[in-house]
Amino acid sequence: MTMLILPGLVDAHVHLREPGAPHKEDILSGTRAALAGGVVGILDMPNNTPPTVTADALFDKQRRFQRQAVSDYGLFLGFDGEHLDPVLRLAADAVGLKLYLDETFGDLTTREPEALARLFEAWPGPGPVAIHGESPSIAMALALARRYGQRLHVCHVPHPDDLLAIDAARQAGAEVTCEVTPHHLFLDSTALERLGPYGQMKPPLVSPDDVARFWERLDLVDAVASDHAPHSRAEKEWAQPPPGVPGLETTLPLLLGAVDEGRLSLERMQSLTHHGP
Ligand code: NCD
Ligand code: ZN
């Protein structure tokens, strides 16, 4: 038997459901799940009800985390296309600004080109602008990041070819980081028949060939992030199931399995789950 002592994982993309939907997950259960999975720090997304797009919402969420979280944490702000000035004033209180450029669970999609340009121009950091988007939206965000010299983080890269676009933008001088989810590395679209609604998430599972390409291009990836997005069983079994799967407790065992199989070095695993995030 081998004993490994590893630095704690940092998961840069989770959706604990508080406030708004604690029947799916709350801050205590979510941060306990994190610790159980070897994750000592999480970055929480803003698509709550109400969304984390104002000072009131951000400070309310901070108070909840201060009271209940048993892991380290950081909170993302969101942008709804309207509250630009308050969001800019809150930049130092958040780990970054999350933009939803395409539809997903929640109601935060922003596509208005002028609002996006103003945001890429004005966001002061220190955290990055982080985006949820399909391939065309990623291309648009990469162009905005280059144009305004804005630091960009691409969440849950949907397709391995997006890694090539990210690489090209980096070569051209853009400061871009990105993450891939465990389900895009360890599941493919052939699992949908077996998993039904439990295999539905955004971005969707990709073909076995594309999974292989994600592995081939893993050098271009900064972090593995779970996109932990729990829903209740009843919700998943509705006619229109919401997208999302939990992942806080499965990321580390999956990656260690890949290390055991020789598909990933232990050093690289640590850079994807600790140093990268
Ligand atoms: C996420 C959720 O449920 O909040 N769902 C998902 O499928 N990943 C939203 C998101 O990150 O797109
Ligand atoms: Zn997400």
Side-chain angles (χ1 to χ4, degrees), residues 100-183:
Y100 290 87
L101 300 176
D102 292 295
E103 296 294 326
T104 186
F105 182 73
D107 193 20
L108 269 181
T109 312
T110 323
R111 311 172 61 96
E112 215 265 293
E114 251 173 60
L116 291 176
R118 268 188 286 133
L119 179 94
F120 271 79
E121 189 173 16
W123 176 251
V129 172
I131 57 157
H132 166 114
E134 290 156 27
S135 304
S137 301
I138 292 174
M140 178 189 70
L142 289 170
L144 284 169
R146 280 179 62 184
R147 174 144 172 223
Y148 293 108
Q150 184 59 262
R151 196 150 79 80
L152 179 70
H153 179 69
V154 181
C155 295
H156 42 51
V157 171
H159 190 275
D161 286 352
D162 298 315
L163 292 173
L164 302 181
I166 289 168
D167 190 37
R170 285 172 177 156
Q171 308 283 340
E175 216 187 317
V176 190
T177 53
C178 67
E179 71 197 28
V180 167
T181 71
H183 41 272

Side-chain angles (χ1 to χ4, degrees), residues 153-240:
H153 179 69
V154 181
C155 295
H156 42 51
V157 171
H159 190 275
D161 286 352
D162 298 315
L163 292 173
L164 302 181
I166 289 168
D167 190 37
R170 285 172 177 156
Q171 308 283 340
E175 216 187 317
V176 190
T177 53
C178 67
E179 71 197 28
V180 167
T181 71
H183 41 272
H184 288 92
L185 294 174
F186 292 95
L187 281 175
D188 61 57
S189 48
T190 63
L192 274 172
E193 207 176 317
R194 172 168 58 87
L195 296 174
Y198 295 98
Q200 286 184 28
M201 69 286 283
K202 298 264 189 162
L205 295 175
V206 294
S207 71
D209 281 353
D210 286 334
V211 171
R213 278 188 207 102
F214 266 129
W215 280 95
E216 280 162 28
R217 296 173 189 165
L218 207 56
D219 279 355
L220 300 172
V221 174
D222 301 279
V224 169
S226 70
D227 196 10
H228 177 84
H231 298 285
S232 73
R233 204 168 264 283
E235 289 159 343
K236 272 301 205 183
E237 288 174 10
W238 279 343
Q240 307 258 300

Side-chain angles (χ1 to χ4, degrees), residues 13-15 45 47 98 100 132 156 202 227 229:
H13 191 142
V14 309
H15 301 263
M45 288 295 161
N47 61 333
K98 177 73 183 290
Y100 290 87
H132 166 114
H156 42 51
K202 298 264 189 162
D227 196 10

